[in-house]
Amino acid sequence: MDFAITGDQQQILDSVRKFVAAELLPHEDAVDRAGEIAPELKDRIRARAIEQGLYAMNFPENVGGGGLDNVTMMLVEKELGRASFALQYLVARPSLILMACKGAQRERYLLPTVTGERIDCFAITEPGAGSDALGISTRAVADGDDFVINGTKHFISHADLADFAIVFAVTGAAETPKGPRKLVTSFLIDKGTPGFACTRQPDAVSHRGFHQCVLAFSDCRVHRGNILGELHKGFNVANEWLGAQRLVLAANCVGRAERILTLAAEWAGSRKQFGQTISRFQGISFKFADMAMECAAADLLTMRAAWKADQGTMTQEDAAMAKLKATEMLGRVADEGVQIMGGMGVMGDVAMSRFWRDARVERIWDGTSEIQRHIISRAVLRPHER
Ligand SMILES: Cc1cc2nc3c(=O)[nH]c(=O)nc-3n(C[C@H](O)[C@H](O)[C@H](O)COP(=O)(O)OP(=O)(O)OC[C@H]3O[C@@H](n4cnc5c(N)ncnc54)[C@H](O)[C@@H]3O)c2cc1C
């Protein structure tokens, strides 16, 4: 493994860093206070990202993407991760699952999403099925050339902005030695399709300005040509993409933790109590040792997984370890960041309290910490179980 940054990578990182500093960071406080991003600001950020070639960098060049390898992409994600998620997701990396588009789906969904003309959202979670994705009850029943979809999804991120949703629904059952197992298919469903309603949910405390929605399907008719991937194989396409998504999240967390570390160090190096800067107290300085070490460890796990992804050898547990370590590290670093700032750290108008709030969701979405531990422990123990 060689993580030395090449000249090309440095050029990309310099332009992402400049973009983050000029286009994203100045708006963070206002967006967090309002819980909204003004439509014209959204359009401007997206337009600038597209103009500067920063959009859909995770997609292959042959479909119009940036064609970055995983290691370079994670270096980019660390830079983007410095900014609040509500803003940085506008510099989008659409769901790679769209690479499963075939035939006419490429023109209608994949290519315009890569160019930024259309926006996707990804909908598995339901009120009765979160960690247990196979517990979903949204059904798609075949009727001639169509499927008729009924059910409800919730917590679906940025569905308010999306033009279409990638929706997972039960299409049958297979007999297995352990009993019947649901067969799940993913569908591309346009907003505006009769029987498809999208409504905003109450805001989360993390990443204000980044909204979640309920998607309700009531006798929603979708042509079978809108199946993404193959019938009954929805989780095959989803699983391929989930690993990459977990790495993105891990890299974002590392970038944000590095920012918190700098902010906390600036505070500790200038705040005086008992006649000296608080950084001189071992009780404070040792926190920095742990924060820096944890951050570096999460960084290495993330880059190792990215490197393995580039070799085609990344396992689910590699991605799970990176996600688990980086999200839990960010939670601890943000908490210590608040502690180092004392009372000022919990004031609503300082960035540190926002980082602390924002960090909380990272251990929940894209698979909770418990689910990541489940994936890792299964991989360790399965070969030894009789
Ligand atoms: C802000 C936000 C945005 C989201 N965006 C999307 C999106 O765009 N698309 C989408 O499909 N979903 C999205 N989600 C859903 C997210 O992926 C789920 O919240 C997550 O998978 C957990 O599901 P749950 O909330 O139903 O919790 P539950 O599954 O009910 O879990 C509750 C608790 O039980 C634990 N638990 C559950 N099963 C086990 C087990 N086997 N072993 C040990 N512990 C277990 C969990 O770890 C957790 O601590 C989003 C969620 C949030 C909060």
Side-chain angles (χ1 to χ4, degrees), residues 149-195:
I149 303 186
N150 281 286
T152 303
K153 302 287 177 186
H154 78 164
F155 292 158
I156 307 310
S157 291
H158 67 80
D160 50 336
L161 299 182
D163 299 291
F164 67 96
I166 302 158
V167 180
F168 290 75
V170 179
T171 41
E175 281 309 320
T176 74
K178 290 184 184 161
R181 187 183 166 85
K182 284 177 188 166
L183 295 169
V184 171
T185 303
S186 56
F187 293 88
L188 297 156
I189 310 184
D190 290 295
K191 285 258 210 69
T193 304

Side-chain angles (χ1 to χ4, degrees), residues 122-127 129-132 154-158 204 206 210 212 361 364-371 374:
F122 181 84
I124 291 188
T125 306
E126 300 183 358
S131 302
D132 178 13
H154 78 164
F155 292 158
I156 307 310
S157 291
H158 67 80
S206 302
F210 183 66
Q212 281 69 47
V361 76
I364 294 172
W365 62 10
D366 282 320
T368 63
S369 286
E370 290 76 15
I371 293 304
H374 173 74

Side-chain angles (χ1 to χ4, degrees), residues 101-138:
C101 283
K102 290 187 300 255
Q105 292 174 352
R106 288 170 64 88
E107 300 296 326
R108 183 160 176 77
Y109 298 101
L110 171 64
L111 302 180
T113 307
V114 172
T115 54
E117 290 155 75
R118 303 195 82 195
I119 300 177
D120 66 299
C121 65
F122 181 84
I124 291 188
T125 306
E126 300 183 358
S131 302
D132 178 13
L134 254 185
I136 61 170
S137 58
T138 295

